[in-house]
Amino acid sequence: REYRLRLEAMVEARDRRTGKSLLPATKLVGQTDAFLGADLQSAEQQALPLIADDLARQVVSRLTERW
């Protein structure tokens, strides 16, 4: 069986010196598909780094699209 796992995060970025908003509060979703092998917990543990990577790529993309 195949599962789609999602991680939602509210992301906001500000310039530490000026306080200016670089990225207003935005909901981003990282997701990946996982195949259920021996058990669901193992599948989730293998999928978490992939979800975090997908979410991180979205954050970087949002931050750099203004430049």
Side-chain angles (χ1 to χ4, degrees), residues 15-28:
D15 185 312
R16 290 178 67 171
R17 288 182 292 157
T18 64
K20 180 181 175 185
S21 177
L22 301 173
L23 177 67
T26 305
K27 181 171 115 176
L28 298 175

Side-chain angles (χ1 to χ4, degrees), residues 4-63:
R4 174 156 294 157
L5 302 169
R6 298 169 43 110
L7 177 64
E8 296 182 6
M10 288 297 292
V11 179
E12 180 179 11
R14 293 187 174 275
D15 185 312
R16 290 178 67 171
R17 288 182 292 157
T18 64
K20 180 181 175 185
S21 177
L22 301 173
L23 177 67
T26 305
K27 181 171 115 176
L28 298 175
V29 179
Q31 61 185 11
T32 192
D33 295 327
F35 295 94
L36 183 60
D39 64 313
L40 182 58
Q41 186 175 5
S42 294
E44 287 178 347
Q45 288 177 347
Q46 291 175 349
L48 282 175
L50 299 173
I51 296 170
D53 184 62
D54 183 48
L55 186 59
R57 288 177 192 275
Q58 289 184 49
V59 171
V60 170
S61 176
R62 292 288 176 100
L63 284 172

